[in-house]
Amino acid sequence: MSTASVSLPNWITYGLIPVLNLVIAFLISGLVVWFIGESPLDALNLLLQGALGSGEGIGFTLYYATSFIFTGLSVAVAIHAGLFNIGSEGQAYVGGLGCALAALTLDRYVPWYVTMPFAVVGSAIFGALWALIPAWLQAKRGSHVVITTIMFNFIASAMMNFILVHVLIVPGKMAPETRTFLEGGQLPKLDWLMGIFGSTIGAAPLNVSFLIALVMCFLVWVLVWRTKLGYEMRTLGLSPTAAVYAGIPYARTVIIAMLISGGLAGMMALNPVMGSSARLQVEFVLGAGFVGIAVSLMGRNHPVGIILAAILFGILYQGGDALSFDMPNITRDMIVVIQGLVILFAGALEYMFRPAMVRVYQKFART
Amino acid sequence: MEYYDLLISILGSTIRLSIPLIFTALAGLFSERAGIFDIGLEGKMLASAFAAACVASVSGSAWAGLGAGIVTSVAFGLLHGFTSITNRGNQIVSGVAINFLTAGLTIVLGQAWFGQGGRTPTLPAEARFASITLPGADAIRNVPFIGPLYANVISGNNILTYLAFLTVPISWWILYRTRFGLRLRAVGENPGAVDTAGISVEWLRYRSLIVAGILCGFSGTYLAIAQSASFINNMSAGKGYIALAALIFAKWKPVPVMFTCLLFGFLDAFANFMQGKAVPGIGEVPVQIFQALPYILTCILLAGFIGVAKPPKAGGVPYTKER
């Protein structure tokens, strides 16, 4: 009997196997650290201290996590519809344009809470528009969404560089970035949130977009598991042929799913653009779109899992910064290695331990 | 005559910029024709560039560098095979993981070993692939038109360049005129039929990934120790993805792959040349347009507006022998 068809209890499928994959990924990361002559335990200690040891550290961790929640949700929504959206990076980058245009237009007239809804909608619309062409190509012309979204990441990068260098640049300045937003275009920091725990946020840029991210998690949960559209998307993801037989319009569902995915990716821009640097800069996404792939895979495409995975990656990013400061031998790029290993084991090799698990489980279930 | 010299210099850099694309796109050709999507081309290229530069700088031999580049790239190819063939994991996720792993590892290891911010030490001339002067190049240099073309574009490249152009007909011959090639193409279209004929789908796909690894090894080595004299952070800089675009644009066929890579190389060379220059009547053309053009062209092709790009049928689907 093939081991693939044996059903395992949920706590093994959704709990034990992902944790096991994660542990393997971290063990190998530890080996890399050991290989370049540093102590993995010291490194882990520094990493956790840097990420969680102070209010400021936690603030930074949650700031990074905010971006990853948005991109993680973006990837997850597409995956539920059977689409692998590698384009969150580019969609977030273009989303930044929508966000910045709202802030640049409104910041001198109204307070931030009036600007915010426009920025949310603006970033979502720009991100969604950037996903529209790949979505249309997949739905109507049958070109693979993975390939087209990769292409669109590069096109986005070229286009945004052009806009920042030639259009939005402040005249007389060298750096290709927009002017700094006034207070009406900045999202306030969440000092009070850390205040509840008797801690201070320090210089950490944790801001209101963290709360928007949590709201989006809830909305995505409602969309995917509690609406007709979500049901149609999931059916399409499980079996496109069955979905078409059941009368679910393929093209429409694909396009809507990609628009939502692109919109969520675009909203990621709120966090760095309006929440942290208060201006639109070149390459501000810094790979968060790709981290979203790892976050979504690790969180099993469920909003709760995505929050947990995003916080884990937030710890890695903030802790990694602290680590590279204290151990100059370990560069910040160690995070990229860990990320790669997490994607490898939690994503590509997710079923590696399944046959062994099935054998062990059957042995125990029989006795 | 002045314009002709310009053309010669652009053609020269077109060749130099196309070589890594040709090797990498041919690598993708072998693996995708066997039904394995290869997003990890970028990573394999980067890893082999790093390995080649490290070994060449330690051993002082360009050939040892090439060997290391190939071994490293094949190793990542086998990892891709382990996840996507043996464990039937998602090929795209596996490729993305390889790109991340190599992007991080090359910097982390480079910093730990050489302490130059991820760079490797600059290589001496004997540890690089030097340019070869073809016979008669100097003699006819002053002949109008043919002279500069032969002396500066066709002659004066390094051995890997000539090898790249040789690899194109060899790849064609392997894919279309050998039993291995026939089976390899079949396994990308209908693995069930190949399996029924008693041929191992898994081993065939592994072999295609090994060939792809060898070719990526050449392209990475070219970047690090033929084109430049050291490994630099993120040296492949998206060339793996451009090669992927070229492969699609060429509709998964070897000879069109070469011409597409030359076209994309030309766009790149032309963009470098046009930087900061004004076109009469139009003004300065933004360099970003040239940067985006390969991707835009590929998307237009994928949309079916200039012919249809049909990928191998079984691409991206792991083969399960029995259900």
Side-chain angles (χ1 to χ4, degrees):
Chain A
M1 187 172 61
S2 164
T3 49
S5 53
V6 179
S7 67
L8 288 169
N10 277 345
W11 66 270
I12 294 185
T13 313
Y14 295 106
L16 193 59
I17 291 183
V19 168
L20 198 63
N21 286 326
L22 203 60
V23 168
I24 300 280
F26 280 107
L27 279 180
I28 296 182
S29 315
L31 279 179
V32 175
V33 171
W34 177 74
F35 182 70
I36 56 178
E38 297 281 0
S39 154
L41 284 179
D42 288 353
L44 182 66
N45 192 21
L46 280 172
L47 192 138
L48 290 177
Q49 274 298 323
L52 303 170
S54 65
E56 190 173 348
I58 295 174
F60 267 106
T61 296
L62 291 180
Y63 165 73
Y64 288 122
T66 306
S67 294
F68 303 153
I69 290 175
F70 281 122
T71 52
L73 288 175
S74 159
V75 176
V77 166
I79 285 183
H80 278 297
L83 304 160
F84 198 62
N85 180 11
I86 298 198
S88 300
E89 183 82 7
Q91 289 144 18
Y93 203 3
V94 178
L97 186 62
C99 174
L101 288 180
L104 287 171
T105 320
L106 296 171
D107 63 350
R108 65 193 96 178
Y109 306 114
V110 291
W112 68 269
Y113 48 84
V114 181
T115 313
M116 190 180 81
F118 289 97
V120 170
V121 173
S123 55
I125 286 181
F126 275 63
L129 282 180
W130 203 247
L132 179 62
I133 300 173
W136 179 80
L137 287 173
Q138 162 90 30
K140 295 281 190 186
R141 318 285 306 196
S143 26
H144 207 295
V145 79
V146 169
I147 305 293
T148 45
T149 49
I150 290 177
M151 304 292 141
F152 267 70
N153 281 342
F154 287 99
I155 300 174
S157 173
M159 183 185 81
M160 291 294 288
N161 281 2
F162 173 77
I163 291 174
L164 278 166
V165 172
H166 291 276
V167 184
L168 289 178
I169 194 170
V170 183
K173 282 262 184 82
M174 286 304 288
E177 56 187 32
T178 63
R179 70 170 168 84
T180 307
F181 308 149
L182 304 175
E183 211 160 302
Q186 297 181 12
L187 297 177
K189 286 203 208 176
L190 291 180
D191 305 83
W192 54 269
L193 187 71
M194 298 302 284
I196 297 174
F197 302 99
S199 183
T200 51
I201 196 168
L206 175 63
N207 60 76
V208 169
S209 53
F210 176 63
L211 303 178
I212 304 177
L214 295 182
V215 172
M216 286 304 146
C217 283
F218 176 71
L219 291 180
V220 166
W221 177 80
V222 171
L223 167 78
V224 175
W225 281 280
R226 287 291 178 274
T227 64
K228 181 166 168 264
L229 179 64
Y231 177 77
E232 292 176 343
M233 277 166 49
R234 282 182 294 134
T235 313
L236 192 68
L238 287 173
S239 166
T241 19
V244 172
Y245 266 116
I248 294 169
Y250 174 80
R252 194 201 68 176
T253 315
V254 162
I255 289 176
I256 294 179
M258 278 300 284
L259 285 177
I260 296 171
S261 174
L264 286 163
M267 286 164 72
M268 170 267 169
L270 293 167
N271 190 37
V273 174
M274 274 180 80
S276 171
S277 60
R279 62 175 86 95
L280 184 65
Q281 293 165 305
V282 172
E283 303 294 341
F284 71 88
V285 186
L286 292 173
F290 297 113
V291 181
I293 298 171
V295 165
S296 172
L297 289 171
M298 245 180 71
R300 299 272 148 157
N301 310 320
H302 190 284
V304 175
I306 287 171
I307 295 175
L308 295 175
I311 291 175
L312 182 85
F313 273 95
I315 292 174
L316 283 179
Y317 267 67
Q318 168 54 18
D321 265 349
L323 181 62
S324 60
F325 190 74
D326 285 316
M327 281 187 176
N329 237 350
I330 301 178
T331 64
R332 215 179 170 282
D333 299 277
M334 191 62 214
I335 315 165
V336 183
V337 177
I338 300 176
Q339 225 166 286
L341 289 166
V342 168
I343 298 179
L344 186 69
F345 284 98
L349 288 170
E350 61 178 329
Y351 301 121
M352 186 166 61
F353 294 111
R354 213 189 126 93
M357 282 288 163
V358 168
R359 274 195 297 278
V360 172
Y361 176 72
Q362 282 175 333
K363 201 174 245 173
F364 279 99
R366 228 176 283 139
T367 52
Chain B
M1 212 55 210
E2 199 185 315
Y3 284 107
Y4 190 65
D5 285 345
L6 271 179
L7 181 70
I8 291 294
S9 103
I10 292 179
L11 285 182
S13 39
T14 298
I15 301 275
R16 281 189 290 281
L17 293 166
S18 305
I19 300 308
L21 298 183
I22 292 177
F23 277 127
T24 315
L26 287 175
L29 179 72
F30 275 94
S31 95
E32 301 217 341
R33 271 301 179 100
I36 307 281
F37 280 160
D38 209 347
I39 308 274
L41 289 172
E42 172 86 5
K44 284 191 263 189
M45 203 172 171
L46 193 65
S48 60
F50 178 69
C54 287
V55 170
S57 89
V58 172
S59 70
S61 154
W63 292 101
L66 177 64
I70 290 176
V71 168
T72 310
S73 162
V74 168
F76 278 102
L78 292 176
L79 176 66
H80 191 45
F82 178 70
T83 57
S84 58
I85 304 171
T86 305
N87 283 291
R88 298 193 190 93
N90 186 318
Q91 296 167 4
I92 302 201
V93 176
S94 165
V96 171
I98 286 174
N99 289 343
F100 268 96
L101 257 179
T102 51
L105 272 179
T106 50
I107 303 180
V108 169
L109 293 180
Q111 172 65 18
W113 288 341
F114 303 105
Q116 298 181 6
R119 285 183 68 120
T120 59
T122 307
L123 296 170
E126 64 271 18
R128 302 180 54 203
F129 285 104
S131 54
I132 299 168
T133 309
L134 292 183
D138 290 321
I140 67 163
R141 186 176 294 270
N142 292 323
V143 178
F145 289 103
I146 304 165
L149 190 70
Y150 183 72
N152 296 333
V153 178
I154 296 171
S155 171
N157 293 301
N158 57 66
I159 189 157
L160 293 183
T161 306
Y162 300 111
L163 195 66
F165 286 106
L166 200 63
T167 312
V168 176
I170 294 176
S171 300
W172 177 86
W173 184 76
I174 290 176
L175 278 173
Y176 292 94
R177 288 291 179 274
T178 66
R179 191 158 58 172
F180 170 64
L182 175 71
R183 288 174 174 176
L184 188 143
R185 285 182 294 130
V187 91
E189 297 291 335
N190 190 346
V194 176
D195 195 18
T196 313
I199 301 155
S200 165
V201 171
E202 296 205 347
W203 173 224
L204 205 58
R205 287 188 165 173
Y206 264 109
R207 277 186 288 172
S208 81
L209 283 177
I210 292 171
V211 175
I214 294 172
L215 289 168
C216 277
F218 279 113
S219 72
T221 306
Y222 179 88
L223 281 184
I225 69 174
Q227 199 176 31
S228 23
S230 67
F231 175 84
I232 305 162
N233 278 354
N234 189 26
M235 182 162 217
S236 51
K239 288 194 180 65
Y241 295 109
I242 295 212
L244 198 65
L247 175 64
I248 297 161
F249 196 78
K251 302 172 186 176
W252 294 269
K253 292 191 177 87
V255 178
V257 158
M258 180 184 75
F259 285 114
T260 310
C261 290
L262 284 170
L263 170 70
F264 288 3
F266 175 77
L267 287 175
D268 202 0
F270 194 63
N272 290 341
F273 166 73
M274 286 303 291
Q275 203 144 21
K277 291 192 185 67
V279 181
I282 304 174
E284 193 179 322
V285 180
V287 65
Q288 286 89 358
I289 288 184
F290 293 102
Q291 283 164 355
L293 211 50
Y295 307 111
I296 296 174
L297 284 175
T298 307
C299 283
I300 294 175
L301 178 86
L302 278 170
F305 295 128
I306 30 173
V308 184
K310 255 201 172 151
K313 264 202 201 84
V317 189
Y319 180 65
T320 318
K321 205 175 170 74
E322 53 195 75
R323 286 196 196 277

